[in-house]
């Protein structure tokens, strides 16, 4: 990879590499945009096959955070941290050294918990730096807010498709019943939705069956169900050349990050099948809204107000995509870049 060419094209400000040989830490932090004063983004620990994969991931994810914050009207820029390690080799010393790396940026980068880091790990990192969010003492964790945001996004897409906000009678397939998927099922059940669910863990599907009358299907069957909405709430990359042709739903709207295996190709494929896709980083912004509010002093009312933007932003994106005959991912990117430009312009005018 030609690093400066790539960062110029993607618009990054800084990419920082850090190693502490004593504790086997190799980490990268990418700051895509710090113009609002700080960049926010969680840290993931992953056994990347090569350093280039780690770099590619951190660049893509940090830019995604800038777009996510812009679409959610949250006044922070995007950043991301990756620790290159096998989760089995994770140690407290390694995490503390990472905490010192974050601290060295003096608040320009605020981080939290992502893949392969537990709440306990976040507290270990926090022992070395003040610039960690997501202890959730006040808010009760991001998942319920994320699920509420997904519900709002679903309502916006339903309104766009069928000119109603009512969900009762609709069939929704939820893939993944973790923290977000389980909460989402609760909200959808309250709206009178008929639920179909899958998870690798049979205990989780059993809970949804008992509490929400959900029909349990095998993980491989979830894509091809005759439903109105498919809601991916498990892993990334689930929308790809194999799964997209199977999907019967009219709307795809779920919490999982990076749902499209290939943003361009698969975004286009979904559009050409006439399926409405709610871009993941817009509909799942409840998590960011939660941690941002933790950072500034959590007030539930304020967080819920910000969450309401998800509804109008999804509407705006679907309309833009429809008018311009572009896919919704492209429309989301245009909207995010326009908002970032406006923020920068208004800041410039103030100076
Ligand atoms: P989680 O780890 O609690 O739950 C994921 C669930 O998916 C697990 O129950 C797992 O068994 C299941 N799963 C994994 N592979 C599956 C498969 N092939 N088929 C069916 N089920 C499968 O995660 P979560 O916190 O609920 O988050 C869900 C998704 O939403 C993730 O992609 C996450 O990155 C994204 N997200 C979460 C938040 C949040 O607030 N937690 C915010 C934004 C985005």
């Amino acid at each position: 990879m030609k690093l400066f060419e790539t960062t110029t094209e993607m618009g990054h400000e800084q990419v920082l590499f850090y190693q502490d040989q004593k504790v086997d830490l190799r980490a990268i932090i990418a700051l895509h945009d710090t113009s609002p004063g700080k960049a926010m983004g969680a840290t993931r620990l992953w056994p990347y096959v090569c350093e280039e994969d780690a770099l590619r991931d951190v660049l893509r994810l940090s830019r995604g955070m800038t777009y996510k914050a812009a679409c959610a009207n949250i006044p922070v820029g995007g950043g991301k941290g990756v620790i290159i390690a096998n989760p089995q080799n994770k140690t407290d010393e390694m995490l503390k050294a990472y905490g010192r790396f974050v601290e060295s940026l003096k608040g320009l980068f605020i981080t939290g918990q992502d893949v392969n880091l537990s709440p306990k790990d976040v507290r270990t990192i926090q022992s070395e730096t003040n610039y960690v969010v997501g202890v959730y003492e006040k808010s009760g964790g991001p998942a319920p807010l994320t699920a509420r945001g997904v519900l709002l996004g679903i309502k916006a897409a339903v309104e766009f498709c069928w000119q109603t906000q009512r969900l009762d009678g609709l069939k929704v397939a939820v893939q993944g019943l973790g923290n977000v998927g389980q909460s989402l099922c609760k909200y959808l059940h309250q709206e009178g939705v008929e639920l179909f669910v899958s998870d690798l863990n049979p205990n989780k599907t059993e809970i949804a069956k008992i509490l929400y009358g959900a029909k349990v299907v095998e993980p491989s069957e979830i894509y091809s169900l005759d439903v109105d909405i498919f809601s991916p709430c498990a892993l990334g990359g689930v929308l790809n050349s194999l799964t997209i042709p199977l999907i019967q739903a009219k709307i795809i709207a779920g919490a999982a990050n990076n749902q499209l295996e290939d943003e361009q190709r698969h975004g286009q494929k979904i559009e050409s099948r006439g399926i409405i896709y709610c871009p993941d980083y817009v509909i799942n912004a409840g998590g960011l809204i939660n941690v941002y509010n933790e950072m500034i002093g959590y007030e539930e009312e304020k967080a819920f107000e910000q969450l309401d933007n998800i509804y109008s932003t999804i509407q705006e994106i679907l309309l833009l995509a429809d008018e311009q005959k572009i896919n919704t991912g492209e429309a989301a990117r245009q909207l995010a870049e326009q908002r970032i430009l406006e923020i920068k312009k208004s800041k410039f005018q103030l100076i």
Side-chain angles (χ1 to χ4, degrees), residues 201-250:
N201 182 339
N203 295 332
K204 295 187 178 178
T205 48
E206 192 57 23
I207 292 172
K209 186 174 161 186
I210 294 168
L211 292 181
Y212 316 123
K215 293 193 181 68
V216 179
V217 302
E218 288 299 317
S220 59
E221 286 172 25
I222 197 88
Y223 302 101
S224 52
L225 295 177
D226 181 14
V227 292
D228 302 294
I229 299 163
F230 172 50
S231 185
C233 295
L235 303 177
V238 295
L239 303 175
N240 54 48
S241 305
L242 291 178
T243 59
I244 295 167
L246 303 176
I247 293 171
Q248 305 294 313
K250 178 75 184 155

Side-chain angles (χ1 to χ4, degrees), residues 26-292:
R26 285 182 305 147
I28 311 173
I29 290 175
L31 302 179
H32 181 259
D33 177 24
T34 62
S35 60
K38 54 178 80 62
M40 258 179 121
T43 294
R44 73 170 42 171
L45 185 147
W46 194 257
Y48 293 101
V49 174
C50 61
E51 287 161 18
E52 197 157 327
D53 281 359
L55 188 55
R56 208 173 284 118
D57 209 26
V58 78
L59 292 178
R60 190 175 54 95
L61 291 166
S62 53
R63 183 180 63 176
M65 284 306 297
T66 299
Y67 289 172
K68 181 183 282 208
C71 284
N73 287 323
I74 296 293
V76 295
K80 194 80 188 177
V82 296
I83 298 173
I84 307 169
N86 193 313
Q88 282 140 12
N89 301 333
K90 179 172 69 176
T91 60
D92 282 358
E93 287 65 36
M94 179 193 277
L95 297 172
K96 283 182 182 173
Y98 181 74
R100 292 192 287 278
F101 178 25
V102 173
E103 182 66 19
S104 72
L105 298 175
K106 297 186 168 49
L108 202 58
F109 176 56
I110 313 282
T111 195
Q113 176 195 350
D114 197 15
V115 182
N116 286 324
L117 290 184
S118 67
K120 179 181 160 289
D121 295 334
V122 172
R123 277 190 284 274
T124 305
I125 295 172
Q126 206 183 23
S127 68
E128 298 288 331
T129 178
N130 288 319
Y131 305 115
V132 169
V133 287
V135 231
Y136 316 136
E137 275 135 8
K138 293 176 192 141
S139 68
L145 218 63
T146 303
R148 263 193 193 285
V150 173
L151 178 72
L152 289 170
I154 287 176
K155 286 190 173 180
V158 164
E159 164 126 54
F160 179 82
C161 248
W162 298 301
Q163 293 74 51
T164 173
Q165 276 198 14
R166 297 190 59 152
L167 303 184
D168 52 311
L170 291 180
K171 294 179 181 169
V172 182
V174 180
Q175 178 188 46
L177 300 176
N179 297 313
V180 179
Q182 208 59 257
S183 290
L184 180 64
C185 283
K186 181 174 98 184
Y187 301 142
L188 289 171
H189 178 65
Q190 286 165 355
E191 298 278 340
V193 157
E194 190 180 343
L195 283 167
F196 297 77
V197 296
S198 74
D199 197 289
L200 303 181
N201 182 339
N203 295 332
K204 295 187 178 178
T205 48
E206 192 57 23
I207 292 172
K209 186 174 161 186
I210 294 168
L211 292 181
Y212 316 123
K215 293 193 181 68
V216 179
V217 302
E218 288 299 317
S220 59
E221 286 172 25
I222 197 88
Y223 302 101
S224 52
L225 295 177
D226 181 14
V227 292
D228 302 294
I229 299 163
F230 172 50
S231 185
C233 295
L235 303 177
V238 295
L239 303 175
N240 54 48
S241 305
L242 291 178
T243 59
I244 295 167
L246 303 176
I247 293 171
Q248 305 294 313
K250 178 75 184 155
I251 295 168
I252 301 174
N257 277 315
N258 304 319
Q259 291 167 30
L260 299 164
E261 194 177 277
D262 180 303
E263 264 175 51
Q264 274 306 321
R265 199 152 49 91
H266 296 130
Q268 208 49 47
K269 212 173 166 90
I270 288 174
E271 204 233 332
S272 66
R273 286 215 47 220
I275 299 170
I276 288 169
Y277 168 66
C278 297
D280 46 20
Y281 63 81
V282 182
I283 197 168
N284 73 14
L288 173 66
I289 292 170
N290 188 80
V291 289
Y292 174 74

Side-chain angles (χ1 to χ4, degrees), residues 71-73 152 304-314:
C71 284
N73 287 323
L152 289 170
F304 273 71
E305 245 170 55
Q306 288 169 345
L307 199 68
D308 283 345
N309 288 330
I310 292 179
Y311 182 91
S312 50
T313 305
I314 290 284

Side-chain angles (χ1 to χ4, degrees), residues 332-343:
R333 193 181 60 77
Q334 278 190 20
L335 182 81
E337 286 179 354
Q338 183 195 324
R339 286 190 182 175
I340 293 161
L341 212 66
E342 277 163 15
I343 294 165

